[in-house]
């Protein structure tokens, strides 16, 4: 039986780094006020402390099978990385679209690639789900079930629309050969 996958926060507007810069350029012609609208507020240190304390508790009690932060690529990249090196075990994930993200493509991109502060995905055994949710509530850390592991594909739906549906083996092959392919196309 596959593990249940949870996350602890919504996507917000934490699109950072090159993705944010390119999105701002494309959607808002580089206007300064657009970046202010798309960037998350300063990290909430109390929320971070509560999250870290919860993760330590879950680990100490053997309740978490895995935990991975979403700070480098958001939910989509994190979910993919969690599927790699698992002999092809996939995941089915479904998340809501951010309400304030604007156009549909922007909402999907935000849901998939937002790097919200203090955001993680955690996998737990189905029989431990209630205990994990109780620990999260006691720690005042939001926790939402977003999917389950199993099969051999990574499927992610945003607002009910499947936006990623890829075999884990193929995704891992592409991911592991990205730099090699990038430089193979370059001419000296």
């Amino acid at each position: 039986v596959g593990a249940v996958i949870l996350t602890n926060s919504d996507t917000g507007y934490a699109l950072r780094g090159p993705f944010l810069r390119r999105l701002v350029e494309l959607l808002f012609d580089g206007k300064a006020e657009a970046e202010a609208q798309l960037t998350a507020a300063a990290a909430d240190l109390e929320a971070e402390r509560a999250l870290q304390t919860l993760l330590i508790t879950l680990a100490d009690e053997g309740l978490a099978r895995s935990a991975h932060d979403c700070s480098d690529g958001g939910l989509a990249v994190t979910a993919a990385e969690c599927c790699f090196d698992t002999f092809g075990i996939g995941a089915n994930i479904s998340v809501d679209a951010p309400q304030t993200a604007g156009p549909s493509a922007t909402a999907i991109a935000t849901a998939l690639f937002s790097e919200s502060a203090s955001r993680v995905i955690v996998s737990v055994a189905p029989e431990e789900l209630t205990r994990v949710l109780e620990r999260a509530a006691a720690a005042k850390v939001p926790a939402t079930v977003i999917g389950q592991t199993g099969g051999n594909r990574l499927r992610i739906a945003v607002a009910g629309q499947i936006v990623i549906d890829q075999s884990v083996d193929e995704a891992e092959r592409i991911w592991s050969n990205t730099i090699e392919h990038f430089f193979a196309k370059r001419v000296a």
Side-chain angles (χ1 to χ4, degrees):
V1 176
V4 177
I5 303 169
L6 301 98
T7 190
N8 65 303
S9 67
D10 65 17
T11 54
Y13 278 119
L15 293 169
R16 294 193 284 267
F19 183 84
L20 171 62
R21 285 191 298 277
R22 185 68 181 134
L23 184 65
V24 169
E25 289 170 10
L26 292 172
L27 296 178
F28 300 100
D29 201 24
K31 296 176 186 169
E33 63 269 24
E35 185 169 352
Q37 292 175 358
L38 292 174
T39 351
D44 180 347
L45 296 179
E46 288 303 315
E48 178 68 22
R49 181 187 337 244
L51 172 63
Q52 295 303 322
T53 301
L54 173 64
L55 292 174
I56 291 167
T57 298
L58 296 178
D60 285 348
E61 295 180 14
L63 296 176
R65 286 187 175 175
S66 69
H68 192 315
D69 72 275
C70 297
S71 66
D72 190 14
L75 178 76
V77 172
T78 301
E81 289 176 348
C82 287
C83 291
F84 298 161
D85 293 326
T86 64
F87 302 103
I89 297 173
N92 287 299
I93 295 172
S94 182
V95 295
D96 294 329
Q99 296 299 316
T100 55
S104 179
T106 303
I108 291 170
T110 301
L112 294 176
F113 302 111
S114 173
E115 298 172 336
S116 300
S118 302
R119 187 172 191 209
V120 297
I121 61 173
V122 176
S123 66
V124 302
E127 63 272 12
E128 301 296 354
L129 178 60
T130 300
R131 290 177 62 197
V132 169
L133 292 173
E134 289 170 352
R135 302 290 189 289
K140 295 184 174 49
V141 173
T144 303
V145 175
I146 60 169
Q148 189 165 4
T149 62
N152 63 356
R153 301 186 72 76
L154 173 60
R155 286 189 183 97
I156 302 177
V158 177
Q161 175 187 352
I162 294 177
V163 294
I164 293 176
D165 186 358
Q166 181 69 50
S167 79
V168 172
D169 290 339
E170 180 66 8
E172 187 170 7
R173 185 191 62 73
I174 292 167
W175 175 82
S176 66
N177 293 315
T178 300
I179 292 178
E180 177 183 317
H181 286 293
F182 177 76
F183 286 111
K185 296 178 183 178
R186 301 288 182 208
V187 177

